[in-house]
Amino acid sequence: MELESATGKLNAYFDGRQPEIMGMIERLVNMDSFSEDGEDVNKVGETVSGWMREAGFHTEKIAKPAIDPDESWMEKLGNVFSARTHEREAGPGIVFLGHMDTVFPAGTAAARPFRVEGGRAYGPGVADMKAGVVANMFAARALKDLGLIDVPMTLMFSPDEELGAPTATRVYRERISGARAVICAEPGFPDGGVTTERRGSGHFHMRISGISAHAGRCYEDGASAILELAHKIVALDAFVDAQAQTIVNTGLISGGNSANAVAPWADARIHITFNTVDAAERLVENVRAVAARTFVPRTTTRISGGIRLHPLEYTADVETLFGMAERACAAMGGYTIRRNRALGASEAGFTASVLGIPSICSMGPEGAELHSPSEYLSVDTVLPRCKMIALTAIQAARAFPSTRV
């Protein structure tokens, strides 16, 4: 009966708010927020935190954690932003998780701005996950405005999830440990998919130093860092096992100073995915073994990184949260969900597997063709997903204690 009462209040609250919600999604989609452009990502952070602050939330641009010297590239990333109903001393309570960054470089928003056609919204990051960020914002604000939840709420806005959340997860250790539950609003899958199981991922940065020489006059005096990298890429490919869903992908490479000079340096960014923590640890060991091996004499290699986002495993807590989402949909009527196993990683895997917080993922509005120019959001799922997030949070606040071992 309590759920039905809350549903009625939420229906009345959201009645007529779709234009406002879609307007905020449009605003964020039309803001570039490429993961490695921290200034752009922080502009999104200021936008969302400003909106939450107007609603009476305590907001903060959280200082960046200490960066390892081997990971100096992280210095250019953005900050985690947060919005809380209570002071930090009250604990995080229910956490609404989402990321602000996208995979689209600066200029994409201007080239492909937000548009709606045939019930679908398009634009860079519209589903992954500008719409999910907005859904969390409106769901939490509705719960606060209506007084439907009696525990703290914390919204976390990540700047670097698409890179494996290397700085965000360090912030989460400090800020949301002990939370009752995490609702991650990654995009829902078409036909009601909510993720109850995910693979994990990792990222590496490999830097190779060689010796420069004139490629025509004295090639043998040099030691090519690019050639060394090529050998390592081929060696890493041997660990790909598509059947076991273990993937090693060298996705970015750079190096050299001139076409007629032996390359004195080469860089690579490597991404790995895996199903279990055991598989991840073996894969990390193998990647580091390849990095330690020398194929081209007189070259040296440094490698940093490792597991970033752990797998989201199907546990009793996940099942409990999914049951809450199902009951939310039943109370709403007219919208159903299904369990989904996602191949990609998300921050929900970290909060569940590392922090031990009951977590569920893909609770945001439905979308597909992510990371592509065809990425879209199903507009008719925006309001149902906002309500589902809110109703799931109400139940989770009752079911889970504030501190878990």
Side-chain angles (χ1 to χ4, degrees), residues 64-145:
K64 293 181 184 179
I67 302 299
D68 189 292
D70 284 342
E71 301 277 14
S72 59
W73 63 273
M74 293 184 193
E75 295 287 355
K76 62 185 177 182
L77 302 181
N79 294 68
V80 175
F81 286 74
S82 69
R84 306 183 313 276
T85 52
H86 294 63
E87 297 292 342
R88 283 185 60 191
E89 292 72 21
I94 301 296
V95 174
F96 301 82
L97 203 60
H99 67 85
M100 305 176 290
D101 62 318
T102 74
V103 300
F104 302 102
T108 308
R112 292 194 293 105
F114 179 89
R115 75 183 198 280
V116 178
E117 294 178 5
R120 292 179 174 179
Y122 298 88
V126 64
D128 188 17
M129 61 173 293
K130 300 292 179 70
V133 166
V134 173
N136 275 347
M137 292 162 61
F138 274 84
R141 186 165 180 170
L143 292 172
K144 181 180 182 298
D145 289 350

Side-chain angles (χ1 to χ4, degrees), residues 25 74 91 117 148 162 175 203 246 294 308 318 321-322 334:
I25 295 173
M74 293 184 193
E117 294 178 5
L148 292 177
E162 297 291 2
R175 296 301 185 100
H203 289 254
T246 299
T294 300
R308 296 290 195 215
V318 173
L321 279 166
F322 182 79

